[in-house]
Amino acid sequence: MWKKNNSVEMTLPTPEEKDLVQTSWKCLVDRDALGSTGVCMFSRLFTEHPEFLGLFPFGDLGLPMEELKLHTKFVYHANSVIKMVGAAVNGLDDVAPMAKKLESLGKRHKKYKAKPEYFEAVGEALLFALSEAVGETFDEKHKAAWGVVFAVVVATMKKGLQSD
């Protein structure tokens, strides 16, 4: 289960957590599985939370999920998000530059009518997709490490989302 971090302060990942996240990410890169992981993530998100679909530019197409996940707009968005996840993973050793990008991303999500409480569902979908892509080596330690990293991403994006 994805754990919500409701505290204002965030905990940066430990060196072991960074290693677990970066190692599992490298597994996706080595398998050339980034695109399929993004598609899996959003397929899961919309299957579990169909109410979110209307927030996206492809949400009004009226396609069943099997067709929607092949649509150009859907794939483009999934790839864009996975690239941002990759940038966050690659930025774990120097979080300041990434924090600015994530805060800006949070600000942009205001116009999409995103709400802070949506992030938990996105995190659950990401964990599901990572687990599916990496396989049985994606254990509880990996899930916990990704949880810490995602909590930092969410806290930073929320800052932008809630700014004036």
Side-chain angles (χ1 to χ4, degrees), residues 52-161:
F52 291 171
L53 192 54
L55 299 171
F56 293 82
F58 45 80
D60 61 353
L61 297 173
L63 298 173
M65 184 53 65
E66 289 305 310
E67 289 179 41
L68 184 61
K69 67 184 186 182
L70 300 173
H71 194 277
T72 307
K73 289 181 181 180
F74 184 97
V75 172
Y76 177 82
H77 187 77
N79 285 335
S80 296
V81 171
I82 282 296
K83 284 180 186 171
M84 183 56 83
V85 172
V89 169
N90 294 329
L92 286 174
D93 292 320
D94 185 12
V95 296
M98 193 66 224
K100 289 179 183 176
K101 290 179 185 177
L102 290 170
E103 194 170 333
S104 175
L105 182 62
K107 273 186 183 178
R108 283 199 315 270
H109 275 70
K110 277 183 178 181
K111 69 180 176 186
Y112 307 130
K113 300 189 179 13
K115 295 181 181 174
E117 57 269 22
Y118 295 171
F119 291 121
E120 181 179 1
V122 173
E124 289 173 356
L126 175 62
L127 273 182
F128 175 83
L130 290 167
S131 180
E132 289 290 303
V134 174
E136 59 190 47
T137 59
F138 195 79
D139 60 15
E140 291 304 315
K141 282 186 177 183
H142 285 88
K143 288 178 186 174
W146 274 95
V148 171
V149 170
F150 194 72
V152 172
V153 169
V154 167
T156 309
M157 284 186 67
K158 280 183 180 180
K159 212 169 141 185
L161 188 65

Side-chain angles (χ1 to χ4, degrees), residues 19-31:
D19 184 58
L20 287 166
V21 167
Q22 290 170 333
T23 301
S24 57
W25 188 258
K26 185 179 181 318
C27 178
L28 297 179
V29 172
D30 290 350
R31 292 179 183 175

